[in-house]
Amino acid sequence: MAIKDSFGRSVENLRISVTQRCNFRCIYCHREGQLFDSNVELSAEEIKRIVSIAASLGVYSVKLTGGEPLLRKDIVEIVRGISSIPGIKDISMTTNGFFLKEYAKQLKDAGLSRVNVSLDTLNAEKFKFITGVDAHKRIMDGIVEAARVGLNPIKINMVLLKGINCDEVEDMIKFTEENQLILQLIELEGFGDDPLYIKYHADLDDIEKKVRERSLRVIVRQMHHRKKYILKGGAEVEIVKPMHNTEFCLYCNRIRLTSDGKLKPCLFRNDNLIDLLGPMRSGADDNYLKDLFIEAVRRRRPFFM
Ligand code: SAM
Ligand code: SF4
């Protein structure tokens, strides 16, 4: 049984940033809300220990993210360690895909269930503009390899950016349908006064309306009550609208772990973190860490309410 916060929300999913390092420079990157630079990284063993504690409190799903998780030389060891923990049923990763071709098979063998690949455009020039790296073909090859080794499902994360890629939704639906991928259309997250947010934030309501009109079926996912639309040709399109969305927050069952070992109850806040790494490296026992985890859950509040 997962533990619940004071708003009745079960905490079932742990989203772990395994590094802040990245080989891309995406114009919009929120760095998983980890605003301050830190060179400290949890070791594979420390990650395993924290996930064991989370699992003992009912967490069964783990998402690895970053920075770019595949920059960790020990990423396969990290996945293997987590997959050996009783109670963990689902391990996924969000990656920019640059090293996916090299790692897909090893990750699958180590216990990774599925993968999200960030791909905002099918146009190589736009890709370079968004990410700062000329690597579109490489990412495509990584997706092909992930499918070949049986990582399933593969989701494509497409952050919608006004004036850049909103006109590509149709092409992206076709691409994901043809390759049996799931498309996640993601609203740009940010703060209203950030010039980048003002420039690029696109409202997803119109896009969702068009997708809904063509759908045969809608599945409401438990996480964030995200809607997944099954379209006539078989395409699957999930809409992720976090901004000013009370439903998104009300059905959030996720807690985060920063790359330097702090529990982070909410993407949007940095004033309520709980440090696990300091106590761990000072010899804290599992019961002490468990109490810290419970305290982090107690600090969870719906951000948009
Ligand atoms: N480097 C990996 C990648 O890009 O997939 C993992 C880390 S990245 C921070 C995780 C996901 O967050 C990616 O799918 C990325 O597109 C998305 N993301 C980053 N900044 C965002 C923002 N401001 N709004 C919405 N999604 C964002
Ligand atoms: Fe951020 Fe991921 Fe892009 Fe790196 S690849 S800059 S972590 S969104």
Side-chain angles (χ1 to χ4, degrees):
M1 238 332 230
I3 74 169
K4 289 190 175 174
D5 65 19
S6 38
F7 295 82
R9 302 176 300 173
S10 296
V11 176
E12 296 163 355
N13 177 288
L14 181 62
R15 186 171 175 108
I16 306 175
S17 175
V18 294
T19 182
Q20 267 198 316
R21 290 174 286 128
C22 191
N23 52 332
F24 282 17
R25 297 174 298 284
C26 300
I27 53 173
Y28 55 76
C29 184
H30 58 27
R31 302 162 55 122
E32 300 291 346
Q34 204 179 322
L35 300 181
F36 304 104
D37 289 330
S38 169
N39 294 327
V40 178
E41 285 178 0
L42 290 162
S43 70
E45 209 36 60
E46 286 163 342
I47 291 172
K48 184 177 172 188
R49 187 170 173 210
I50 294 171
V51 177
S52 299
I53 284 157
S56 75
L57 292 166
V59 167
Y60 60 82
S61 172
V62 173
K63 165 84 80 193
L64 301 175
T65 178
E68 174 46 41
L70 295 181
L71 283 181
R72 284 277 304 235
K73 295 273 180 269
D74 55 355
I75 191 67
V76 175
E77 188 189 337
I78 291 172
V79 172
R80 196 177 297 115
I82 295 172
S83 73
S84 71
I85 297 169
I88 297 298
K89 298 188 189 124
D90 171 54
I91 311 172
S92 61
M93 178 184 291
T94 300
T95 171
N96 64 28
F98 192 86
F99 296 107
L100 192 54
K101 188 172 176 191
E102 289 85 333
Y103 274 116
K105 173 87 171 75
Q106 294 176 68
L107 291 169
K108 170 75 181 160
D109 291 347
L112 192 75
S113 329
R114 56 197 179 87
V115 73
N116 289 41
V117 183
S118 299
L119 183 69
D120 303 316
T121 174
L122 294 171
N123 177 301
E125 277 308 307
K126 279 195 212 172
F127 183 89
K128 191 171 165 196
F129 171 76
I130 295 169
T131 64
V133 178
D134 191 1
H136 195 263
K137 164 88 173 57
R138 233 186 123 108
I139 311 309
M140 294 300 210
D141 291 348
I143 294 169
V144 169
E145 180 64 4
R148 193 191 69 77
V149 303
L151 288 169
N152 186 31
I154 299 172
K155 293 190 183 182
I156 300 300
N157 285 10
M158 178 186 191
V159 178
L160 286 165
L161 303 165
K162 188 168 67 190
I164 299 190
N165 64 355
C166 293
D167 58 344
E168 280 194 67
V169 170
E170 197 50 48
D171 290 346
M172 200 60 106
I173 290 177
K174 211 177 287 168
F175 166 73
T176 50
E177 182 188 326
E178 283 168 6
N179 293 283
Q180 292 163 4
L181 312 167
I182 296 175
L183 178 60
Q184 284 205 127
L185 298 177
I186 304 175
E187 180 183 15
L188 180 68
E189 292 164 25
F191 288 97
D193 55 352
D194 176 354
L196 191 123
Y197 180 77
I198 294 168
K199 186 167 179 191
Y200 293 122
H201 178 263
D203 193 334
L204 262 60
D205 286 352
D206 281 349
I207 292 169
E208 181 168 12
K209 187 165 172 276
K210 286 187 192 136
V211 170
R212 189 188 310 119
E213 281 166 4
R214 294 166 51 188
S215 68
L216 292 174
R217 206 155 57 91
V218 186
I219 298 165
V220 180
R221 290 194 49 206
Q222 186 194 6
M223 165 80 93
H224 301 140
H225 265 200
R226 297 172 180 195
K227 295 196 176 64
K228 184 159 92 171
Y229 296 92
I230 314 296
L231 307 195
K232 283 169 194 141
E236 297 186 25
V237 183
E238 202 168 308
I239 308 275
V240 184
K241 288 195 296 191
M243 296 305 295
H244 308 285
N245 184 350
T246 50
E247 202 178 39
F248 188 92
C249 291
L250 197 62
Y251 293 97
C252 177
N253 61 6
R254 162 191 287 174
I255 194 159
R256 294 164 178 270
L257 180 64
T258 65
S259 55
D260 57 354
K262 297 184 174 66
L263 283 170
K264 187 171 180 350
C266 176
L267 169 70
F268 293 108
R269 287 180 61 179
N270 279 296
D271 59 348
N272 59 355
L273 310 189
I274 299 256
D275 183 32
L276 292 183
L277 186 59
M280 272 171 93
R281 290 193 180 170
S282 310
D285 66 13
D286 282 0
N287 281 334
Y288 187 81
L289 297 177
K290 210 167 172 172
D291 285 345
L292 290 178
F293 200 98
I294 292 168
E295 172 58 18
V297 171
R298 200 190 61 76
R299 292 186 184 187
R300 277 166 45 89
R301 302 260 174 288
F303 188 78
F304 295 114
M305 61 189 296

